[in-house]
Amino acid sequence: MWLANSRCREVVEAAWRSCVSLDPNKEILGKIEKCGRDLTWWNYNVFGNVRRELKKKRDVLVEEEAVALRTGSNVRIRELQREINELLDRETRMWTQRSRILWLKNGDGNTKFFHSRASHRYRKNVILGLNDSHGVWKEGPSEVAAILIHYYSDLFSTSNLPTQHEALSHIPQVITDDMNSELTSRFEEWEVLQALKQMAPMKAPGPDGMPPIFF
């Protein structure tokens, strides 16, 4: 939805240029983090809330229609109708993206359907709380995150390390040294680009909050 506005690119470019670090890894992470903060601010303060803007435009349209009845001029009405149509299109795109419907391209104006899908997806995926290892119910976001991290850290770790070599000795080796060398080699730029292009552009973002289309 943001890509329909030319200011989105300007915000990203300005944020990307402003973050400089001697450490390349920290610089990239800093650039992405700043882009996220600046885009959030821009969305709230400049791009605007779609529903709020729609209500404003519709209220103004009612007033201008009354003025047009007295003056006979409907230039302002046509302008407002165009702006309202753009906002309606933006609203449809917003709910299409939130609903994660990938089998339907932009163009369908059935916003209520997309809103329903997004609401259903949220209700299905939201985690209200979890029981910790002691059976105590926790609801805070940080507490839930800590429970999940502890659970999977414990799941994928072991306290019986000496036996792993005995177990692994019974597993036949199918990866050759050449294959292992290729698997552990550094990623090439073309591989990263290929992986990004194979992703759905608006799929769930990673830990940095950015969807594939950003990269």
Side-chain angles (χ1 to χ4, degrees):
M1 182 176 69
W2 290 351
L3 295 178
N5 190 298
S6 60
R7 273 288 291 146
C8 177
R9 183 184 182 90
E10 296 173 11
V11 171
V12 172
E13 289 179 344
W16 200 265
R17 288 194 300 266
S18 66
C19 189
V20 180
S21 172
L22 296 177
D23 186 335
N25 294 323
K26 289 184 178 179
E27 181 175 344
I28 291 294
L29 294 175
K31 288 175 182 290
I32 295 172
E33 184 179 355
K34 181 162 176 54
C35 283
R37 290 199 307 269
D38 290 1
L39 284 170
T40 299
W41 183 91
W42 171 73
N43 177 60
Y44 184 81
N45 294 282
V46 181
F47 194 66
N49 182 286
V50 176
R51 287 183 171 180
R52 184 177 65 237
E53 291 299 315
L54 264 175
K55 185 179 185 307
K56 284 182 181 178
K57 295 295 182 182
R58 283 168 169 161
D59 290 343
V60 174
L61 180 61
V62 172
E63 296 174 0
E64 290 297 329
E65 285 175 342
V67 172
L69 289 174
R70 297 195 304 269
T71 63
S73 173
N74 61 356
V75 175
R76 178 58 178 153
I77 290 178
R78 288 199 298 270
E79 182 181 342
L80 284 168
Q81 288 173 337
R82 178 183 57 78
E83 292 173 357
I84 288 173
N85 287 334
E86 290 177 356
L87 287 169
L88 288 171
D89 180 63
R90 190 188 301 175
E91 183 185 34
T92 300
R93 289 172 181 266
M94 177 185 71
W95 286 112
T96 303
Q97 291 169 5
R98 289 187 179 181
S99 67
R100 297 283 190 260
I101 297 296
L102 302 179
W103 42 262
L104 188 60
K105 298 296 183 182
N106 290 327
D108 194 314
N110 192 356
T111 306
K112 186 179 292 185
F113 166 72
F114 296 126
H115 186 285
S116 173
R117 291 293 303 176
S119 300
H120 171 73
R121 182 175 177 276
Y122 174 79
R123 287 193 299 270
K124 179 181 178 182
N125 292 345
V126 68
I127 298 176
L128 299 176
L130 290 172
N131 288 321
D132 64 13
S133 57
H134 302 291
V136 180
W137 181 257
K138 303 288 186 180
E139 293 186 352
S142 59
E143 294 176 318
V144 170
I147 292 172
L148 290 170
I149 292 172
H150 178 267
Y151 174 80
Y152 283 104
S153 297
D154 185 61
L155 181 66
F156 292 106
S157 61
T158 177
S159 57
N160 193 18
L161 293 176
T163 62
Q164 66 173 330
H165 300 294
E166 182 182 350
L168 292 174
S169 66
H170 296 283
I171 300 175
Q173 181 177 338
V174 295
I175 302 296
T176 65
D177 291 338
D178 290 339
M179 293 168 65
N180 188 60
S181 177
E182 184 178 350
L183 290 169
T184 58
S185 62
R186 292 176 61 86
F187 291 113
E188 298 290 340
E189 182 178 346
W190 68 268
E191 293 178 299
V192 177
L193 288 173
Q194 186 181 60
L196 280 172
K197 291 178 179 179
Q198 289 174 346
M199 296 179 184
M202 295 307 301
K203 288 294 285 184
D208 52 33
M210 293 298 188
I213 195 172
F214 172 81
F215 298 100

